[in-house]
Every structure is written in C-alpha cells, then in structure tokens.
Amino acid sequence: MRPRVCPVGTASRFICSIEQTRILGAPAASGGAMDAYEWQEAAERWTVTGVARRSGAGEPPVIARAQGPVIHDTLGRRYLDFGAIPSGAVLGHNHPRYVTAIRQGLQVIGSDAFLDGDALRLHRRLGEILAPPLQKSILAPRGVATRLAAGIAQTVTGAAGLMWVRPAPDGVLRFFHPAAAVPAQAPIPPLVPMVSPAAGEAARACPDPAQCVCGKSPGERPCPWVAFETALQACERKPAGLLMAPFAGGAFGPGHGCARLLRRLCHQHGMLLVVDECATGYGRTGRMWGHQHDDIVPDILIASARFGAGLSIDAVCVPPDIAEQAATSSPEVLRGALDAGWHDPVACAAAVTAIDIVQDEDLVARAAAIGEHLKLRLDAMALDKRLIGAVYGRGTLFTIELTPGDKTGVSARALARTFARACHDEGLLLPAPAIDAADGAIHLAPPMVTTITQIDEGLDIVDQVLREMNDSVVADTGSGQDALQPGQHQLAQ
C-alpha cells in the first residue's frame, strides 16, 4: 500500500491556504513572511502580466486570512465575499469542520487495490440527497462530467450529442447545436453557433396552448415549444438529450412550468433531459437542488462538489435503469470514467463533510431565509434607483440588472464594471462581469453560512454605491423613463 497522493493543486493549495490564515502573508514554500512589495515583485518577475493584473488596475493584494464570508488581505483591508464562486459558495472559507476533515484525509493510507471508504461515502451521501429515482452516481474529474453525461445519453438513446438550452432573464430560450460526446482526454470542443429560428418559425403559433406555458408567463415571449421544435429541426442529427443550465437567478426556465414542458418534449422525441446543477446544487436556491422548484426530476443530473481550497470533484447522477444500460453497453467514451477505482480521495472526504455540514447546520433553510431578505431589500432599492432595471433570484443567487436608461454613450456593461469596482473599494467582493458580457448583470452570491447581519452590511454597500451612481446619472441626464421597469423578470419565490 502507498500513501494517498493528491493531484497537484489540491492538497498543496489547501495546506498553503491554511498556513496563510495563521501567518500574515506567509507562503508555505518559503516559510517566511512577504510584504506587499515582495508580492508585487514576485508577480511582475515570475508571472505573465495578463495573469498578474486581472483586476485591470495593477496587482491586487494577496489574501492573508479568510473565515466564512470575510476575507482579510495583506494590506490590512477587510472584505465581504459575495462572489465566492465556486470554492466558497456553500460553506464560505475555511469552515472548521471542513478543514479538519481534509487534514484527516491526508493522513489516511489508500491503495488502488482496495475500495476507498471516502468515495463510497460520497456516493451514498449523493444518493441520500438526490430526488428518486436518481440514486446512482459516477465520480469524474473537473470538466469531464458534461461529456460523460453526453456519452450516457448517447448509449441509452442511440442518438449523438446534446442540444443545449440556456434560459435568459428576458424569457427567451436560446438553443445551441449538439455537442458530441468525446473522450475525456480530448480537448474541450468550442461552443457551437446558437440556433436562431427564422422570423417565420419564431412567429409560428403554439402547437397546443393548453399544454404549453407560453400564455402563462407575463409579457410577450416566444413560444418555448416552437423554439424547441425549431432548434431540433436545425440539428443535422437527432440529439441524445437536452442539456439545461440555469440562468443567474437560479431558475431552469423563464417561468414555472417551462422545465416540465421541455422534459415532456424531450421524452416525446426519445431524448433525455440533462440538468446542470453545478451552480445551484446543495441548497443554494433554498431547495437542495434547483430543479426542485420546477417539480421535475431530470434523467441525468450533473453535480459539482467544489467546496473550497482548490478541491474539486464532479458527479453524474442517474436512475438505476440508465446506470445499468450505460454500464453494460460501455461505449468508448465511458471507459475509464465508469471504472469505480477513479477518485480523488481527499476531495471525496471534503465533499462528504461539506454535505454533512449543509444538513447538520440546516443551511438549505438558511439559504431560503437569505433569499427572502435579499429580495425584500433589493426590491426596495429598485423602487428609487433608476439604474436598476431588474431584480431576480432565489436563495443565495441573486442578480441586479443595471441599465443606463436614456443616458446616451454609456453601456450597461460599463455600468456593471464601474459598480463592481466601486463595491470592491468599499469592501464588498462581487463576481466580476465577464469581459464579453453585453448586459449590465451584477450577481450577488453570498455563501450560505452568511449571517443576516453580514447580508445587511453587504447590501448597505450596494445601496450606497447605487445611490452615488444614480445621483451621477440624474445630474447628467435629468429625469426620464428607465429602459426597464423595476422588478421586471422577477422570479416567484
């Protein structure tokens, strides 16, 4: 037997992060303290400039210590982390039980000749928190789960690839051509062009309004049934399944019933519904799984267990019958991934402990309470902040859409980036808007362990920054009508 060996960048990064919480700015490799100037010199001398200056405003400070949603840097500043995705999204940073579990995991002897108890415990925990009939799981390295799910769907249906759908806050379902299942070692294929229905197709009448949801959602939106059928006709071959990911508000569709409609349409066409819960799982929406808000159970569920310190492991969860078909057919794309011997034992131990913490500390209910509080305060802000075009979300996943209204020469993306930087300067960390983002979406994602007092502290900063930006816009443009009305696209809680 041999000691457990963790992949580079998992246990090593974890131990480094622990030591840095104890010794201000002390790197594990050298054992000596480094000040801000030495950190900056190291960044300039040893890193690619584009990596070191991700903030666009010089080298950011180095984290000195972190606990829960609170981070301290080596310059002595304190921050609330409302953008801890994915590592701190559930438990925040350095949860004591999580730290203890990983330390213990590093001391256990493991061998490929034996079953690993931590991996088996993770399979059991996943089975216990999944909705029936989902109870079987396959553990996979990060980045492989989607291709593995595509391979399983291909094996079961005999078709090829997954058609993707990404619901957007405006209620439009955006479909993508199938991404074929590929071997795990192959490069990740680029995103394929979006399926854009022709104007005539988009205007087609709904096949059956009584069975559809197009007339049950507020506003004029394209019929999702027509959009699905049009996207399916655009595929060269029938897809094996439909991969559905949530949008920023944590919802699987623009309105209640949409996910259920797409699941029914998938089954009518001999396809499987695959739901990606990497961002919404483990209670972040106020339910253990995001799809539970839509009263559906997917045929295949993709879950991620990235709970911090660089440790990550993904899982593909299926019912017993689909698991049996996949295991017996075992196409080339599944070989290796279906080998029960694959696992990262320390990541498994971390994931088991994290799930236990979520249950023992009742974090799902806490996330629901956080969501109610966020909605109440953000809705109030939207009433007197003309920059807010929309507020929507669930649990600890909320989004504010900023709009310049009638102010010319200012883009929504520019507003979002200015807002995020201003919040950072005031001590609130938010997910940075994507470089290629065209909208003004600002995501608020506090960890589930955040207290209501800390939530209010973060929202006070949001309110202050919005007020200052709002006053600036009013001074420049005077009064006028917003492009969107406050509260538009809100999700029902």
Side-chain angles (χ1 to χ4, degrees):
M1 294 189 296
R2 65 179 187 274
R4 289 180 171 179
V5 178
C6 298
V8 174
T10 55
S12 59
R13 287 207 302 268
F14 176 77
I15 294 300
C16 179
S17 70
I18 291 179
E19 296 308 319
Q20 286 181 345
T21 66
R22 304 177 187 280
I23 305 174
L24 184 62
S30 65
M34 292 175 66
D35 59 27
Y37 296 101
E38 290 173 305
W39 286 120
Q40 182 175 355
E41 180 187 10
E44 291 178 350
R45 184 174 181 182
W46 303 114
T47 71
V48 177
T49 301
V51 175
R53 294 186 174 87
R54 286 180 300 177
S55 68
E59 282 75 12
V62 175
I63 293 176
R65 63 188 186 277
Q67 187 71 50
V70 179
I71 292 177
H72 295 264
D73 67 24
T74 52
L75 300 180
R77 292 203 60 189
R78 173 185 176 275
Y79 305 85
L80 277 176
D81 191 359
F82 280 19
I85 300 173
S87 60
V90 176
L91 303 180
H93 303 285
N94 292 317
H95 192 289
R97 285 178 61 184
Y98 185 85
V99 171
T100 299
I102 297 176
R103 283 193 176 279
Q104 293 174 346
L106 290 171
Q107 299 170 358
V108 177
I109 300 297
S111 171
D112 292 341
F114 296 88
L115 290 173
D116 188 274
D118 290 317
L120 293 175
R121 278 190 286 272
L122 178 55
H123 284 292
R124 182 176 67 183
R125 287 291 189 278
L126 287 170
E128 290 170 346
I129 64 175
L130 288 166
L134 297 171
Q135 59 182 269
K136 299 278 190 176
S137 56
I138 303 171
L139 302 180
R142 181 178 178 181
V144 175
T146 299
R147 286 173 291 194
L148 179 57
I152 293 174
Q154 177 176 308
T155 301
V156 172
T157 65
L162 297 177
M163 184 167 71
W164 293 34
V165 59
R166 291 181 178 176
D170 60 5
V172 177
L173 296 179
R174 295 178 171 88
F175 290 87
F176 293 75
H177 286 291
V182 296
Q185 66 272 17
I188 298 176
L191 282 177
V192 288
M194 186 175 11
V195 174
S196 299
E201 292 289 341
R204 248 176 30 198
C206 174
D208 187 352
Q211 298 295 321
C212 191
V213 296
C214 57
K216 301 175 184 177
S217 300
E220 295 294 330
R221 295 173 177 170
C223 172
W225 192 332
V226 171
F228 176 89
E229 296 284 355
T230 303
L232 193 60
Q233 292 171 10
C235 297
E236 294 182 1
R237 293 185 298 172
K238 189 183 79 171
L242 177 69
L243 177 63
M244 175 179 281
F247 65 85
F252 290 92
H256 188 73
C258 183
R260 190 160 56 249
L261 169 68
L262 293 178
R263 184 179 189 273
R264 178 166 57 82
L265 293 175
C266 282
H267 290 180
Q268 287 178 359
H269 289 274
M271 300 164 55
L272 301 184
L273 178 64
V274 183
V275 168
D276 184 345
E277 289 268 12
C278 290
T280 50
Y282 309 106
R284 296 190 64 199
T285 66
R287 300 275 187 94
M288 184 60 77
W289 303 101
H291 67 264
Q292 292 175 328
H293 291 280
D294 295 282
D295 300 324
I296 64 166
V297 178
D299 301 299
I300 301 176
L301 182 142
I302 300 173
S304 175
R306 297 195 288 273
F307 295 103
L311 296 169
S312 65
I313 190 169
D314 292 347
V316 178
C317 309
V318 296
D321 58 336
I322 291 180
E324 180 65 22
Q325 292 181 63
T328 54
S329 300
S330 188
E332 186 64 31
V333 292
L334 301 183
R335 286 178 188 162
L338 288 177
D339 181 1
W342 185 92
H343 55 270
D344 179 338
V346 180
C348 290
V352 168
T353 302
I355 293 172
D356 288 346
I357 294 170
V358 168
Q359 293 182 313
D360 295 346
E361 298 186 7
D362 201 16
L363 294 186
V364 179
R366 182 185 291 191
I370 289 174
E372 293 176 0
H373 194 74
L374 283 170
K375 186 176 187 301
L376 184 67
R377 286 210 54 185
L378 291 174
D379 281 353
M381 291 182 202
L383 293 176
D384 65 350
K385 305 293 190 304
R386 62 174 299 173
L387 291 180
I388 298 181
V391 173
Y392 49 88
R394 290 180 173 133
T396 60
L397 295 173
F398 264 76
T399 294
I400 303 173
E401 283 191 8
L402 301 182
T403 173
D406 53 6
K407 182 173 182 180
T408 60
V410 177
S411 69
R413 185 182 74 172
L415 280 177
R417 295 182 69 82
T418 299
F419 176 83
R421 284 196 297 267
C423 286
H424 178 278
D425 292 342
E426 296 296 327
L428 178 65
L429 303 181
L430 300 174
I435 295 177
D436 58 347
D439 57 18
I442 291 291
H443 307 312
L444 277 69
M448 293 165 63
V449 296
T450 309
T451 66
I452 295 298
T453 299
Q454 291 167 330
I455 293 291
D456 278 331
E457 180 184 350
L459 290 177
D460 287 344
I461 295 175
V462 170
D463 190 52
Q464 172 190 334
V465 172
L466 280 173
R467 183 180 299 111
E468 293 172 354
M469 292 178 63
N470 190 79
D471 292 345
S472 175
V473 170
V474 170
D476 289 345
T477 65
S479 60
Q481 295 296 320
D482 291 339
L484 298 174
Q485 294 302 313
Q488 188 175 352
H489 311 322
Q490 284 183 353
L491 299 174
Q493 297 293 312

